[in-house]
Amino acid sequence: MSRLFTLERQTIAPIPDAERHGTSRGLVAIWFGMNMTPLTVVTGATATTVLGLPLGWTIIALLAGNLVGGVGMALHAAQGPRLGVPQMLQARGQFGAHGAAVIVLVALVMFIGYFSSNLVVSIDSAHQIVPGLPGPVAVSLCALVSLVGTVFGYRLVRWLTAAGSYVVGTLAVVAFVRVLSDGAVWTHLGGGRVTAAGFFGAVALGVVWQLTYAPYVSDYSRYLPRRTGARGAFWGSYLGCVASSVLLMVLGAIVGLAAGGADTMAGLHTLLGPGVGFVVLLGFALVATAGNSVNVYCSSLCALTLVETFRRGWVPGVRARVATTLVLQALGVWIAVEAQSGFASAYFSFLSVLLYVLIPWSAVNLVDYYLVRHADYDVDAFFAHDGGRYGRWNVGALLVFAVGVLAQLPFVVTGLYTGPLGAALDGVDLAWLVGFAVSCLGYYLLARLRPELVRLRRPAVREAVAP
């Protein structure tokens, strides 16, 4: 227990073998707990409240989306034990030292956004328990809990997340039993209508939810001993993340139907009743605020990676990590406070657009790691002043990335913008699938036909590396 409150000394440098620890079973607990937040429940509720699906088709769509998206997420996790560096720093192996900064910046904005949105949803839970609690006070209290975990670093963040999985896992079971034991609830569960747009939209919810973790999933598997191997990191991350996502999203879908489209957390509180509702929402709020340290921890690694990109030779230490954490935490709290009064709603919608940007990055990373370079990277070159063999800018990878982003635009379906093909498909969101497929195929062909454009010094294709 005393080691949990020892300041983490590592930041973005490779984790030495002597400091590696943990098991694939521990990853299951971490990633099961990672989704144990009210935000997961709210996300699942959108399938029935916004997309209008009936419960049966919602469960099928959410299950399919999480199962498929989880594969991509877990393939990123499998890279951690071998390379030992944060996922976003490893992007230098595909995009070059400066080229990767574009991806790191997108991920940084996304992490801060998810930290803020988790605060907002946690506050919604808190307001059901203490209605008169002022928004700024609630935000500050929630942020303080997550700040403690982030400052001490990896061990405490990991412990808080794993412990939260048991707490909220138990509360989720209680919530299921309580809600489904109410006969009146069943009269509402037959609502909804099956549409192609609704079904594929719900599938996209699951896929994108899983791929959201791709930019930092190996930040946790990188601490595993090398002997744990890629398979342990893959299955530990996959099973934990997919199981918890589906569990709470389905709970949210049920609440969305049973509560008649009311605010999800308020609806859950009403369905559970005053006593059980108080306990469940209190547990959700506490675990979510503690687990939210994950987003600040990973955003600090992104910020340090971004600064180190343009200050080569600088090795960030504990002070730099803690100072960066405080700045990012303050920024996230400010966004959450403003969101309480309706400001920044466009900002949270913009986060969905950022996910479309991350999908081509994920495709390039996976193809490069498993099919092109076969996990053979020079980690020292990631920190070289000139980018080493990967250079400052990898023109080929950046070109494929740009094409992957542009290929999605006609298919995009969001509150901010709907592409012409997305509209022609009656709102069916296939942008993520198009972007991923175009980027995978484009990068593979480029590496095979013009390997020099992706800074490859040997033939591009041979037997694939299994996770």
Side-chain angles (χ1 to χ4, degrees):
M1 182 63 69
S2 63
R3 298 183 70 182
L4 295 177
F5 294 95
T6 300
L7 284 172
E8 180 186 4
R9 311 302 300 179
Q10 298 295 335
T11 54
I12 62 175
I15 305 300
D17 288 341
E19 296 186 27
R20 296 193 178 206
H21 58 277
T23 63
S24 57
R25 184 180 301 175
L27 278 182
V28 174
I30 291 173
W31 286 102
F32 191 86
M34 204 75 76
N35 295 293
M36 289 297 173
T37 68
L39 187 60
T40 316
V41 180
V42 172
T43 301
T46 62
T48 52
T49 58
V50 177
L51 301 177
L53 283 177
L55 183 59
W57 285 100
T58 295
I59 294 174
I60 293 172
L62 292 176
L63 181 61
N66 280 285
L67 288 173
V68 172
V71 173
M73 176 275 299
L75 286 173
H76 287 286
Q79 301 171 16
R82 183 178 184 110
L83 300 179
V85 295
Q87 186 74 67
M88 286 292 93
L89 192 140
Q90 192 254 346
R92 293 175 179 176
Q94 294 90 44
F95 296 93
H98 290 177
V102 177
I103 314 299
V104 174
L105 182 60
V106 172
L108 176 60
V109 174
M110 186 188 72
F111 290 143
I112 296 174
Y114 271 98
F115 170 73
S116 302
S117 56
N118 267 311
L119 281 180
V120 171
V121 178
S122 297
I123 293 164
D124 288 342
S125 298
H127 279 163
Q128 302 305 315
I129 304 169
V130 187
L133 188 64
V137 175
V139 170
S140 300
L141 290 176
C142 291
L144 183 61
V145 176
S146 61
L147 177 63
V148 174
T150 309
V151 167
F152 284 101
Y154 172 78
R155 287 183 182 273
L156 186 55
V157 169
R158 174 174 173 164
W159 184 87
L160 288 171
T161 307
S165 68
Y166 297 105
V167 175
V168 180
T170 302
L171 294 176
V173 172
V174 171
F176 267 108
V177 173
R178 176 68 173 173
V179 170
L180 295 179
S181 64
D182 185 348
V185 168
W186 289 91
T187 62
H188 299 283
L189 297 186
R193 185 170 65 91
V194 183
T195 63
F199 180 79
F200 285 102
V203 171
L205 276 178
V207 171
V208 172
W209 182 268
Q210 293 295 326
L211 289 181
T212 300
Y213 291 118
Y216 63 108
V217 65
S218 69
D219 291 4
Y220 296 89
S221 61
R222 71 184 179 127
Y223 270 90
L224 290 180
R226 294 181 191 274
R227 66 178 181 276
T228 300
R231 292 185 186 276
F234 178 94
W235 288 111
S237 303
Y238 184 84
L239 294 175
C241 197
V242 170
S244 57
S245 300
V246 172
L247 177 67
L248 288 197
M249 284 186 183
V250 170
L251 175 62
I254 293 173
V255 172
L257 282 173
D263 175 82
T264 303
M265 301 316 294
L268 180 60
H269 186 257
T270 301
L271 293 170
L272 294 176
V276 177
F278 177 88
V279 174
V280 170
L281 266 66
L282 178 61
F284 269 122
L286 291 176
V287 171
T289 53
N292 208 12
S293 57
V294 169
N295 289 303
V296 184
Y297 175 76
C298 293
S299 66
S300 67
L301 295 183
C302 281
L304 293 174
T305 299
L306 198 61
V307 174
E308 194 272 343
T309 300
F310 303 101
R311 286 189 61 190
R312 287 309 176 94
W314 173 65
V315 180
V318 176
R319 290 183 179 179
R321 182 177 64 80
V322 172
T324 303
T325 295
L326 293 173
V327 172
L328 295 176
Q329 188 102 7
L331 177 60
V333 167
W334 176 79
I335 294 174
V337 169
E338 293 297 328
Q340 291 296 292
S341 59
F343 179 79
S345 58
Y347 173 80
F348 291 122
S349 297
F350 182 62
L351 291 177
S352 62
V353 178
L354 294 181
L355 295 175
Y356 290 122
V357 178
L358 288 173
I359 284 173
W361 158 78
S362 177
V364 169
N365 173 276
L366 295 178
V367 171
D368 188 73
Y369 187 92
Y370 291 102
L371 301 180
V372 174
R373 301 186 198 272
H374 313 285
D376 182 17
Y377 290 89
D378 180 3
V379 175
D380 290 338
F382 294 163
F383 300 89
H385 179 71
D386 59 354
R389 68 158 103 170
Y390 308 111
R392 291 190 174 91
W393 303 92
N394 190 326
V395 176
L398 289 168
L399 177 63
V400 172
F401 173 77
V403 170
V405 172
L406 294 175
Q408 296 177 89
L409 293 181
F411 298 89
V412 164
V413 179
T414 68
L416 296 176
Y417 167 77
T418 297
L421 293 180
L425 292 170
D426 294 327
V428 176
D429 187 354
L430 297 179
W432 60 273
L433 182 59
V434 172
F436 193 81
V438 167
S439 302
C440 282
L441 182 61
Y443 191 81
Y444 182 81
L445 291 177
L446 187 65
R448 181 165 188 168
L449 300 177
R450 297 290 302 275
E452 69 278 4
L453 289 181
V454 295
R455 294 183 175 269
L456 198 65
R457 296 181 177 178
R458 51 184 171 73
V461 179
R462 67 173 192 233
E463 184 179 355
V465 176

